[in-house]
Amino acid sequence: MVEASALEQLCESQGIVWLAWQAEPQRGWMPPGAERTAIVRFDSDTAQSAEIHLLEQLVSDIAGCNVSLITPEQIWEERRQPELERSEVIYAQVD
């Protein structure tokens, strides 16, 4: 269970404007649910300077599982829109 207030604070402090769980769980050596992939969008000022590995550790601590972060651009172009539509939004910046 992701603690919403801690995740919201992290996203706001790190320039994350949108964060969602990828619909398909990772297939790896860990038990189901122990690894997740989150799709992340940064504001334009943060995108170039983000420390992805550090952010992965911080999100993992909050989520209670190992989290890998990817950007929408890292999803194969033909699959990007369907993948984004199926994702479970866990944080979206409110304007």
Side-chain angles (χ1 to χ4, degrees):
M1 179 79 177
V2 176
E3 185 184 334
S5 62
L7 184 64
E8 184 177 319
Q9 289 174 356
L10 174 68
C11 290
E12 289 173 358
S13 70
Q14 297 298 317
I16 295 170
V17 295
W18 188 83
L19 184 68
W21 290 128
Q22 191 172 31
E24 307 253 338
Q26 285 187 355
R27 292 182 177 89
W29 57 272
M30 298 189 81
E35 292 183 330
R36 297 290 307 261
T37 299
I39 304 167
V40 63
R41 284 188 179 143
F42 295 97
D43 66 26
S44 59
D45 296 334
T46 306
Q48 299 301 319
S49 62
E51 289 276 341
I52 295 293
H53 181 69
L54 175 60
L55 284 175
E56 285 175 334
Q57 290 179 323
L58 294 171
V59 174
S60 294
D61 289 344
I62 294 169
C65 63
N66 293 325
V67 177
S68 296
L69 297 177
I70 62 171
T71 63
E73 294 75 26
Q74 290 175 292
I75 301 171
W76 188 39
E77 188 173 347
E78 285 77 20
R79 292 188 56 206
R80 186 176 304 146
Q81 192 58 40
E83 186 70 32
L84 292 174
E85 290 171 2
R86 293 182 322 148
S87 63
E88 175 191 349
V89 176
I90 53 177
Y91 172 80
Q93 185 177 43
V94 179
D95 291 331

